Amino acid sequence: MWELSHKKHGSTSVAQQLAQMRAELVSIGEKERVLRERSADREVYRYLLDAHRLIARASFLEEKVLNISPPRAGEGSQLAA
């Protein structure tokens, strides 16, 4: 009788451990997913920042070489005038 009771308790304990391990694996998987998304977001941000820097540098060089100022916000092209 003691053995039967002990086996039931042991199998319950094993089932609880397996459930806990599954929950930990799900948690780890979720953390990995979040880290991958954040890494992708940072990569996109770096790409956009680099593009912005290149555009700003090209605009500056164009202004310096052509000795013109870039159009201000709200102004149309004055090439037709």
Side-chain angles (χ1 to χ4, degrees):
M1 182 77 163
W2 182 81
E3 278 184 23
L4 184 60
S5 174
H6 185 65
K7 284 184 181 179
K8 283 185 180 178
H9 178 70
S11 66
T12 302
S13 177
V14 169
Q16 288 173 344
Q17 288 177 345
L18 287 174
Q20 183 180 1
M21 289 172 65
R22 281 190 200 105
E24 288 177 19
L25 287 173
V26 168
S27 175
I28 290 169
E30 181 66 14
K31 289 175 186 175
E32 287 176 339
R33 183 190 64 78
V34 168
L35 289 173
R36 279 192 306 271
E37 286 179 5
R38 287 181 183 171
S39 178
D41 288 345
R42 282 191 299 268
E43 194 64 32
V44 168
Y45 177 77
R46 275 189 233 116
Y47 174 80
L48 292 174
L49 188 59
D50 286 345
H52 177 73
R53 286 179 182 152
L54 287 172
I55 290 169
R57 182 174 292 158
S59 178
F60 174 76
L61 290 175
E62 179 182 25
E63 180 182 333
K64 191 172 182 179
V65 169
L66 299 176
N67 199 18
I68 59 170
S69 60
R72 294 186 180 130
E75 291 183 6
S77 176
Q78 296 181 7
L79 294 177

